[in-house]
Amino acid sequence: IWRQCEERQNPPLLGTVNQLPSSLSGLILSAAMPFGNTHNNWKLNYSSEDEYPDLSLHNNHMAKALTPEIYQKLRDKQTPSGFTLDDVIQTGVDNPGHPFIMTVGCVAGDEECYCVFKDLLDKVIEDRHGGYKPTDKHKTDLNPNNLKGGDDLDPNYVISSRVRTGRSIKGYTLPPHCSRGERRAVEKLSVKALNSLTGEFKGKYYPLKDMTEKEQQQLIDDHFLFDKPISPLLLAAGMARDWPDARGIWHNDEKTFLVWVNEEDHLRVISMQKGGNMKEVFRRFCVGLQKIEEIFKKEDHPFMWNEHLGYVLTCPSNLGTGLRGGVHVKLNHLAKHEKFEEILKRLRLQKRGTGGVDTAAVGGVFDISNADRLGFSEVEQVQMVVDGVKLMIEMEKRLEKGQSIDDLMPAQK
């Protein structure tokens, strides 16, 4: 599909309104699916300069990349399913970004977006993923045997371990763009696949709209439940349309393997458990993920993937592996050290509070995870977490004794 998309480069479905006789221009109703006013071809009555968004106060990757020239070149393009440039950028236009945090500022509505709007998205991807070029090729490695160690993280410091990713199902548009019927088809196919799993992966699906109060409370207690998005970034991208229709949660009987259906991506797959055995968490993640994909392949709906972008997902920030491998770890002393941020940067890791992005650490417990998604394989990213966390625990033990950690400072990975 990548080559087909590049070959046809998707000319506009209807051309511009200005190209039509005035007697017909008033009759133009977009052939694109009517999900929002960004699909409105009537805007083509106005010049590109008139329609170009005001990005003067914006701090996101889209705003950095989108020039008036790129906007003019792409504004009348549509993907085969009808997603436009203004659909891609709307969340970044409506949400200028944090003054100190660079948000992405754009989403894909279908797999073809990354080709049709590549003049913009290639720049966003290169900026967001540390110089990843349009000619670069991504590495995929879901063989858990290639991970070295990971079963020996000190349980006195590591509270829990988790690996998650997203997956998009080929043949369907993505959550910012899908129709109700399409979203329900994704749910139906996903439930069929997940309910066919056996052994350690045998489990049950809980649709959000049919959930009993008891089931809801249990999922809240287990920290499994996802709620209607309240983030302006997600709302402006159309993620919450028709909520909670065709959304749900599936987990195995042991509650160590979890799948969210139709949240930000078609599927969010999570493997997790208490303690520091990241090796076991990653093994379950790889095996379960590959079992699910085999079932989808038999239904002629494999996951979206190509050799340049790896696994294709809604947000450009998650392209590649889509993987975030992390542990909740106690780092009371290291967190107060003047070189804590530098250590994380050198190890290619990032920290969050245990409540997620932008939350504070409680009791010196941090969520430490890989910073990269694209350009490194799944094994390489989890290996960085395993090796980095082991080193930081060693540093923490030194600092508890009042000893120096200067000789433990890592080189830049």
Side-chain angles (χ1 to χ4, degrees), residues 1 4 25 38 71 79 83 85 132 147 154 193 278 359:
I1 193 168
Q4 291 171 358
S25 63
T38 49
Y71 186 80
T79 65
F83 212 65
L85 174 64
Y132 193 81
L147 182 69
D154 193 331
M278 180 61 90
T359 61

Side-chain angles (χ1 to χ4, degrees), residues 163-198:
V163 180
R164 68 88 165 150
T165 191
R167 287 293 186 266
S168 304
I169 303 166
K170 188 177 283 289
Y172 298 102
T173 63
L174 300 174
H177 186 42
C178 64
S179 71
R180 297 180 192 96
E182 196 172 20
R183 191 185 300 113
R184 291 165 186 166
V186 168
E187 181 189 40
K188 183 178 179 181
L189 184 61
S190 301
V191 172
K192 179 181 177 181
L194 294 167
N195 283 346
S196 70
L197 295 173
T198 58

Side-chain angles (χ1 to χ4, degrees), residues 36-285:
N37 65 358
T38 49
H39 294 283
N40 180 6
N41 280 338
W42 195 253
K43 71 178 68 173
L44 298 176
N45 273 326
Y46 297 89
S47 71
S48 177
E49 184 179 355
D50 287 337
E51 289 288 343
Y52 184 73
D54 180 1
L55 303 173
S56 57
L57 300 177
H58 287 55
N59 184 41
N60 58 53
H61 290 288
M62 177 279 293
K64 282 181 64 179
L66 185 67
T67 63
E69 292 75 23
I70 290 176
Y71 186 80
Q72 182 173 16
K73 180 179 179 180
L74 299 178
R75 67 185 291 251
D76 63 350
K77 299 268 190 268
Q78 295 186 26
T79 65
S81 71
F83 212 65
T84 68
L85 174 64
D86 280 307
D87 293 320
V88 170
I89 68 173
Q90 194 65 49
T91 183
V93 174
D94 292 347
N95 298 281
H98 192 282
F100 307 116
I101 300 172
M102 181 71 74
T103 54
V104 176
C106 56
V107 294
D110 53 33
E111 186 174 11
E112 292 85 354
C113 277
Y114 289 105
C115 174
V116 176
F117 305 114
K118 71 191 306 294
D119 289 342
L120 170 67
L121 294 177
D122 280 353
K123 293 179 180 294
V124 170
I125 290 165
E126 185 170 349
D127 200 34
R128 172 61 179 80
H129 292 281
Y132 193 81
K133 299 286 192 295
T135 53
D136 289 343
K137 293 184 179 180
H138 178 73
K139 297 176 284 185
T140 295
D141 184 358
L142 285 166
N143 183 351
N145 296 324
N146 291 335
L147 182 69
K148 297 180 177 68
D151 55 352
D152 53 352
L153 298 179
D154 193 331
N156 293 314
Y157 293 84
V158 178
I159 298 166
S160 62
S161 305
R162 161 180 162 140
V163 180
R164 68 88 165 150
T165 191
R167 287 293 186 266
S168 304
I169 303 166
K170 188 177 283 289
Y172 298 102
T173 63
L174 300 174
H177 186 42
C178 64
S179 71
R180 297 180 192 96
E182 196 172 20
R183 191 185 300 113
R184 291 165 186 166
V186 168
E187 181 189 40
K188 183 178 179 181
L189 184 61
S190 301
V191 172
K192 179 181 177 181
L194 294 167
N195 283 346
S196 70
L197 295 173
T198 58
E200 67 174 312
F201 298 103
K202 179 179 172 293
K204 180 181 177 182
Y205 181 69
Y206 300 86
L208 262 58
K209 67 176 183 178
D210 298 329
M211 203 175 287
T212 66
E213 286 189 20
K214 182 179 179 181
E215 288 172 338
Q216 182 174 351
Q217 188 57 52
Q218 185 60 58
L219 290 167
I220 290 172
D221 293 343
D222 292 332
H223 305 289
F224 285 180
L225 192 65
F226 68 91
D227 203 354
K228 183 175 181 176
I230 57 173
S231 164
L233 297 170
L234 298 180
L235 294 175
M239 303 288 192
R241 289 174 298 114
D242 311 309
W243 198 274
D245 192 16
R247 277 85 167 189
I249 299 166
W250 178 95
H251 66 73
N252 67 346
D253 294 342
E254 284 76 30
K255 299 182 179 180
T256 56
F257 192 73
L258 174 72
V259 180
W260 292 352
V261 177
N262 284 325
E263 194 227 13
E264 182 178 335
D265 294 299
H266 289 154
L267 302 175
R268 277 284 172 98
V269 181
I270 305 161
S271 174
M272 58 189 180
Q273 67 186 51
K274 298 290 186 184
N277 194 342
M278 180 61 90
K279 191 178 191 70
E280 174 61 16
V281 171
F282 187 56
R283 180 205 64 79
R284 187 188 310 112
F285 171 83

